[in-house]
């Protein structure tokens, strides 16, 4: 349990705003109808970090996350919220590949 108290979980997700559903519901005997837009809609990326007790940092971006945006999230949003001994756990997000490490005393 003590490992969970020091853990901070970081993850991101992307949302395509122009996608339509593949399945729908309708009244019995009627057909569900929708139209597909002919344009490509925007993408929104959400990145956040949580601990066992609270949400530490959240940031939204228009478009995909890149190393510069990831650095801003780490330096300005996450690092000020970390405590001594915190362990940040993340998946294989490729954005931090060219980012420097951050430390917070």
């Amino acid at each position: 349990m003590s490992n969970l108290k020091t853990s901070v979980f970081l993850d991101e997700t992307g949302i395509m705003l122009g996608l339509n559903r593949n399945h729908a519901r309708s009244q019995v005997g009627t057909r569900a109808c929708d139209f597909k837009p002919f344009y490509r809609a925007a993408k929104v990326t959400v990145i956040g970090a949580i601990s066992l007790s609270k949400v530490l940092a959240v940031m939204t971006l228009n478009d995909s996350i890149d190393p510069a945006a990831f650095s801003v999230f780490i330096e300005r949003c996450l690092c000020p919220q970390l405590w001594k001994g915190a362990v940040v756990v993340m998946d294989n997000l490729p954005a931090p590949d060219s980012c420097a490490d951050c430390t917070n005393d």
Side-chain angles (χ1 to χ4, degrees), residues 27-101:
Q27 296 290 329
V28 175
T30 64
R31 179 178 229 164
C33 296
D34 197 7
F35 66 92
K36 289 190 175 187
F38 60 89
Y39 63 93
R40 281 187 73 177
K43 178 179 182 182
V44 176
T45 300
V46 181
I47 185 167
I50 61 170
S51 69
L52 190 60
S53 60
K54 65 180 180 177
V55 175
L56 297 173
V58 175
M59 186 169 86
T60 59
L61 305 152
N62 292 329
D63 211 2
S64 298
I65 193 162
D66 59 8
F70 186 78
S71 291
V72 168
F73 173 75
I74 296 297
E75 293 170 8
R76 295 190 183 170
C77 300
L78 182 59
C79 281
Q81 301 298 320
L82 294 178
W83 58 92
K84 188 173 180 99
V87 177
V88 178
V89 179
M90 58 186 288
D91 60 6
N92 59 350
L93 175 68
D97 286 344
S98 63
C99 295
D101 293 338

